[in-house]
Amino acid sequence: MKFAKTKEVLNQLVADLSQMSMVIHQTHWYMRGPGFLTLHPMMDDFMDDVNAQLDEISERLITLDGSPFSTLKEMADNTKIPDEVGRWDRTMEERLTTLVKGYRYLADLYQKGIEVSGEEGDDPTQDIFIEFKTATEKRIWMIQAHLGKAPEIDA
């Protein structure tokens, strides 16, 4: 099977981007406190970006004759981004730190995709992985800056 490892990473991203969208939704719905008026609409942008990545990743997987996960059960069974019940008692800093953790995981998965697509000679998919890793690292930097911290991309 051609591009087997690449397709595996693509499908992992389908599950993980779907879960990350829910994590962002939860942040959007449950946030309260200082920064709400700025951060609440910003979560819409974050969700739009993740959903656009999900669509492109899924379509690339189909282009390579793969079959993306397409049920909630498949997403839940295959994601590696933790699930947690929404709570009102979390601070904005805790919520944003959770987002950074998810984005760091995605950046690492995009790096794995860059490596395996390179090994398998799938330049178009590697280009997608590079673009999305770059965008994800920028998100990390921006959230970390809001938290008064360095991006720590190379940590």
Side-chain angles (χ1 to χ4, degrees):
M1 177 166 44
K2 198 170 182 183
F3 306 131
K5 291 178 185 176
T6 299
K7 287 190 254 187
E8 189 177 305
V9 173
L10 286 165
N11 224 2
Q12 184 63 54
L13 279 160
V14 169
D16 292 327
L17 288 166
S18 297
Q19 175 66 7
M20 188 65 179
S21 180
M22 286 309 306
V23 171
I24 297 166
H25 267 100
Q26 187 180 91
T27 299
H28 181 75
W29 293 330
Y30 280 83
M31 67 170 48
R32 290 183 176 168
F36 173 85
L37 290 176
T38 304
L39 293 171
H40 188 76
M42 188 179 296
M43 292 305 113
D44 288 326
D45 293 337
F46 286 19
M47 286 183 285
D48 289 346
D49 288 345
V50 164
N51 289 328
Q53 288 180 21
L54 173 60
D55 192 52
E56 190 164 343
I57 292 293
S58 298
E59 289 172 353
R60 183 63 187 163
L61 180 56
I62 293 166
T63 300
L64 296 176
D65 293 318
S67 300
F69 299 130
S70 59
T71 67
L72 291 175
K73 182 171 181 5
E74 287 175 305
M75 306 303 179
D77 288 348
N78 290 284
T79 188
K80 292 186 172 91
I81 295 177
D83 206 20
E84 63 181 67
V85 175
R87 301 185 343 240
W88 293 107
D89 64 342
R90 295 187 71 211
T91 66
M92 296 295 268
E93 182 172 348
E94 290 170 323
R95 292 188 187 289
L96 294 176
T97 298
T98 296
L99 291 182
V100 169
K101 184 176 178 183
Y103 280 122
R104 286 192 195 284
Y105 166 78
L106 290 173
D108 289 345
L109 187 54
Y110 281 129
Q111 181 60 45
K112 179 179 178 184
I114 291 166
E115 293 165 10
V116 299
S117 60
E119 290 168 11
E120 294 181 329
D122 183 2
D123 296 341
T125 304
Q126 188 179 53
D127 186 54
I128 292 167
F129 289 146
I130 291 167
E131 176 188 354
F132 290 159
K133 181 177 187 218
T134 302
T136 300
E137 288 179 342
K138 184 175 181 180
R139 280 281 184 236
I140 293 166
W141 160 58
M142 294 176 82
I143 297 169
Q144 287 287 91
H146 180 83
L147 295 171
K149 298 177 181 177
E152 300 173 351
I153 297 296
D154 63 353

